[in-house]
Structures are given as C-alpha cells and as structure tokens.
Amino acid sequence: MNIKKTGFALCIVHCTLCISSCADYNVTDDFTAQPDPTVVAPYNDLAPVKSYINRDAYANLSLGAQLQVSEFNKQELAHAAAVTNFDNVAFGTSLMSGTIVNAKGVMNFLDMSDLLAHVQDIGYEVYGSPIVANANQADEWLSTLTAPIEIVVDYVEGKSVNFNELAVGKFGSEDGSTAAEIVKYDGQNVLKLAAGLKPTHVRIIDGFEVDPKATYTTTFWAMSEKDASFDVNFSGNPVKGTGPNGKWTFKAGKWTKVVVEAQSAPDATEGYLQIDNSRTGVIYIQKVEVGYYPDNHRPQTAQELNDTINYALNAWCDGLMKINEGRITSFDLIDEPIDTKAELENGMYDLKHSTEKIFWQDIFGSENYAPAVSRVASGAFERHGGNPADLRFFISETGLEDQKTFESLKYWIGVWDAKGAKIDGINAKLNLTYSENAETQAKTVASLNTLLDNLASTGKLIRLSNFDIKYQGADGVSVTAKNITDAQRQQLADFYGQVIKTYMSKIPHDKQAGICKGNLADTTDPVGLWAVDTKTKDWVRTATYKAFCDALSGK
C-alpha cells in the first residue's frame, strides 16, 4: 500500500507547558499513528529524527528501533515513537524459534502475522530476528527430534532362587532379624516371612548388577493362610501395588503368582527385591526369578542426527519465510556464534559448542554452519515470494571491541564465505558507557574508533545495534535516569552524537546498514531519546533526541 507522509504537524494543546506532535500517516484505510510523545521546550521545534538523514549522501543509512512484538502490536506510545522517528523496527529475540515453535514442532506465527500485515499497510520496514543461534532456540522441539530411537529388544534371563533347593534354617534379612527362615511347608522347603509387631525387610533375591535404564521383571510365588498385604522395594525404588495405600495383596489359601515390574533407583548399583512384611500374617515364598528388558532406545547415528537437524532447519525456515512472504529482507543469519573461552589451534576463538543442548553447528560442523543455514534460509525466502536480490544476511556478535573477538569473527566469516555462505554484513552489538573520568572515557573513545576501523576493513555492510549508552560518574558509580542532571544528560547526548558521526565518517557510505536504538525511552538508566515523566508516564524529549537530529544532519 502506498503511503503519503504529510510531515510533522504540531497540535496546540491548551497548556502552558507542552505541545504534542501528531505525525499523521495518510493511507487508504485511514490509518493514523497515535500522537508522538509529549514535546516540551527547548526541543519542541524538532522534526522526526529520521527526517534529518541526508538520503542523497547516505542512501543506505537507516535508523532502527528495537521493541517487543507485543509492544509494537498495541499501536500505542512506543509504536508511535518508532514509526514516526525511525526507518525500521527490530524485535530482538521475539521472532526466534524459541518463541514460536513448541515441543511438538507446531509454529505460532500469529503475532508476526499481525505485525507484518500492519507494517505492509503503512509502508514500514522490519529487521528480522536471528534465524539461528545458541540461545532462544526451540530447544524442546530439537530435543524431541533428536531423542534416542526405540528399538526391539529381547528379554534377558537373570538370577533365580529356588528355596526348595536350600536347607532349612535361618535366612538373612537387611536389618539382621531372624523373622525370615526356610521351613518345610506344603511338602517343600519355602521361605517363611513371619508376622509380628516388628516389621521385617527381607531381600528375597539380590546380588546382581542393575542397568538403571532397564525395566526388571521379578516373579515369585506366595501363599498365606490369611489375606495378605505387603510392600515391595526394588533396588531402592518403592513399587506401588494395586491394593489400599499402594499395598501388594493376594488372597489366602492358594499359591499366587506375583509379578513386579520396576526400574532401580537412579543411584542404585546392586539389584534386589525386598519384601516388607506388613504384620497381616505369615507369608510363604516359593521360587523367585528376575530378568529384564534392556533399554529399548539407542542414540541416533551421526547421519540420522544430520538428517534430523536438516529437517528441523528446513521446517523452521520454510515456516518463517512462508509467513514473511518476502516482506522482511534483512535478517541476522546467526547470533553470537563466538566462544571467548575456547581457542582453536590457530589462536582464534572457537564457536560455541554444547554437550547438553542441540547446537546447529555441532551437527552441521563448524565450517558448514553458516553455509548450511544461509542456503536453506535463502531458498525458503525465494520459494515464498522473496526477491533474492533484496535479501541480506548479517552475523551478529557482541564484544567486538575486543580485538581477538573481532579477529575470530572475521576468521570464521572468511571460512564461511569460502564455503559459499551468503553473509552480507556484520551486526555489531554495542556495549557503551560514558564516563566522567577523562582517562576512562578516552579509552572508550579509542576502543570505539578501533572497532569501527576494524569493521570497515571487512568490506561488509556494517550495522550497529543495542545502541544504548549508560552514564557513569567519575567515581565509577552508575548515574540513574532518576538522578541524572541536565548537564550530565547533555554530556551523554554529546557522546551519542559523537558515536553517530564517527560511524558515518568511518564506515563507507555504501556499507552503512544503519544504527538500531536499543531503548527509545529511559529505563533505570538514562538511555532514551525520551525521558519518562514520573507522574504522568508521558515520554518527553531529551537532549539525546536533539543529539541524534544534529549528528544525522551533519552538524
């Protein structure tokens, strides 16, 4: 849908303190953005931030804002501020598989569908969440898909005891009591568990190793002259019966076959079946046998895991790009792949790996990680109506001000490029703090300059994200949004402007993929273009708003 922007209109409010701007968007369905946040002097004459970019000189530069999907879809204050002042919106982890795909692989794209329909109506742009990463993935689904495979197993005969083959006499019990003994009964030798006030705990079979994953079947024949009830414990695992309070029961007067199926307790190493006589009467035990079915699962082979994860990647990308319909054209392909605690033999940092979760790179292989993902995602994008010429993939990473982290990312991008991966740019996540300590601030500025020089040297498109700057006093203590003074706010704003101008000067114009603001309004830190009025909760422009306008206009 075509959109006609009428510019920045001022709506006079009958109030001596404030003027509200109402950036209207004239479209055929009469959509109108909610009023832009409250404007007070001295910043009431400023236009929307994005209008200050010289599009002729900086054709590729875009200004982004990060919001939550739910926050954007409300179409309230944050939505209005973003749409009015920024070229595009990013949604962080909100559109990643961990949010969208459940344990059974069902994908819920309702929120994404709503926001895409809306941005299409108003002619707006979205920067895509990372397609794959190590965090915020559909871990339950991947775990289900890669679970061990059920197989057919044969029953294994185990140990048996025939009390008729044992001599009459005392029979040991766990607590050393003599309440159990082998006696003559019903024409044969049997184990007798006596009744009494003191309960007995007798292992009627023991002395075999247990597999904690196996299910054991223990069979014994029992008889009592009264209806009997008793408790059963298999290798530390209390096993419930079908009688009252989980008791095991049988009727008096005949030999009854009792079958107990159970696994051992997790920490058990010795196998045994223990009868806890419940004082209801004497119980006689005949032959006892135990056997088991081995664990009927086996791990997936390397090829099966590869096929499974390929299926998962294809299914995820197909679902994502089907709902997208080519509307989002820029994505983070992979988010934060570098592990700064693990080195390769060449001295570079390794990728992140896991023995507890399924990491895509552990299945595809580190060198084929980005090639595999970009191939599948590109194919799905084109298959569902996207123009391949418009598609751009970025690798996003944090901590790139550290030289070794940067060199390691550059190394891996080189490896992936050589194997045919589509990697158009780097999305560098910033972590900036302004300090009143001159020495500390000088180091921050030097580090920023080095970072931008390094990024420019890659020849890739460069995007800066998480563009929030905190404020620190000379004593190293953070200054909150509640306590920051006007003078301190101006120093912070000046540094924002310095960062923007340094980016615009150091990154070649044709490689400037944009800057994305992390928070539009102050949090507990004074990071916003807007402060939040403690009483009305209105957003009020700060010196940082003006700093953005001035820097983008080249002042």
Side-chain angles (χ1 to χ4, degrees), residues 155 217-221 257-260 273 287-291:
Y155 183 77
T217 301
T218 307
T219 303
F220 60 93
W221 290 86
K257 184 179 182 180
V258 181
V259 179
V260 179
L273 185 76
K287 185 177 181 180
V288 185
E289 296 177 331
V290 62

Side-chain angles (χ1 to χ4, degrees), residues 430-436 441 444 466-473 477-480 484 488 491-493 495-496 517 519 523-528:
L430 300 179
N431 182 24
L432 294 173
T433 298
Y434 174 83
S435 176
E436 291 180 351
Q441 182 60 15
T444 298
N466 193 39
F467 187 32
D468 287 348
I469 305 177
K470 298 180 180 180
Y471 194 99
Q472 196 175 82
V477 176
S478 294
V479 176
T480 65
I484 194 167
Q488 289 173 322
Q491 287 181 297
L492 179 61
F495 188 41
Y496 268 107
K517 190 71 179 71
N519 286 281
T523 60
T524 53
D525 292 300
V527 294

Side-chain angles (χ1 to χ4, degrees), residues 6-10 21-23 36 39 44-48 84-85 541 545:
T6 61
F8 188 81
L10 293 180
S21 64
C22 306
D36 197 24
V39 182
N44 57 319
D45 59 341
L46 295 174
T84 304
N85 293 279
R541 290 176 180 176
Y545 188 104

Side-chain angles (χ1 to χ4, degrees), residues 30 46 62 107 203 314 409 442:
D30 296 324
L46 295 174
S62 67
M107 301 181 187
R203 294 185 180 184
N314 276 273
L409 179 64

Side-chain angles (χ1 to χ4, degrees), residues 389-509:
D390 296 335
L391 181 62
R392 298 189 302 178
F393 285 145
F394 292 74
I395 305 296
S396 56
E397 187 55 85
T398 186
L400 292 177
E401 62 276 4
D402 176 77
Q403 187 66 24
K404 186 171 179 177
T405 303
F406 167 76
E407 291 290 347
S408 299
L409 179 64
K410 185 177 180 180
Y411 163 77
W412 280 109
I413 289 176
V415 170
W416 294 332
D417 278 342
K419 287 186 169 288
K422 175 179 173 57
I423 300 174
D424 301 284
I426 296 173
N427 180 17
K429 298 180 179 181
L430 300 179
N431 182 24
L432 294 173
T433 298
Y434 174 83
S435 176
E436 291 180 351
N437 182 290
E439 183 179 352
T440 300
Q441 182 60 15
K443 290 179 179 178
T444 298
V445 171
S447 177
L448 173 67
N449 287 330
T450 300
L451 169 63
L452 292 172
D453 287 336
N454 283 338
L455 291 171
S457 72
T458 65
K460 299 286 187 181
L461 294 169
I462 302 301
R463 180 177 187 263
L464 303 183
S465 62
N466 193 39
F467 187 32
D468 287 348
I469 305 177
K470 298 180 180 180
Y471 194 99
Q472 196 175 82
D475 55 1
V477 176
S478 294
V479 176
T480 65
K482 180 180 179 180
N483 296 325
I484 194 167
T485 66
D486 289 344
Q488 289 173 322
R489 178 78 79 168
Q490 187 59 59
Q491 287 181 297
L492 179 61
D494 291 343
F495 188 41
Y496 268 107
Q498 182 181 353
V499 175
I500 294 171
K501 288 186 284 187
T502 305
Y503 169 84
M504 294 172 70
S505 64
K506 286 185 174 292
I507 304 300
H509 291 199

Side-chain angles (χ1 to χ4, degrees), residues 360-407:
W360 305 95
Q361 60 270 31
D362 290 337
I363 307 300
F364 296 135
S366 297
E367 294 188 357
N368 197 44
Y369 180 26
V373 177
S374 68
R375 181 176 61 253
V376 172
S378 298
F381 178 81
E382 184 174 0
R383 188 165 59 251
H384 292 293
N387 181 355
D390 296 335
L391 181 62
R392 298 189 302 178
F393 285 145
F394 292 74
I395 305 296
S396 56
E397 187 55 85
T398 186
L400 292 177
E401 62 276 4
D402 176 77
Q403 187 66 24
K404 186 171 179 177
T405 303
F406 167 76
E407 291 290 347

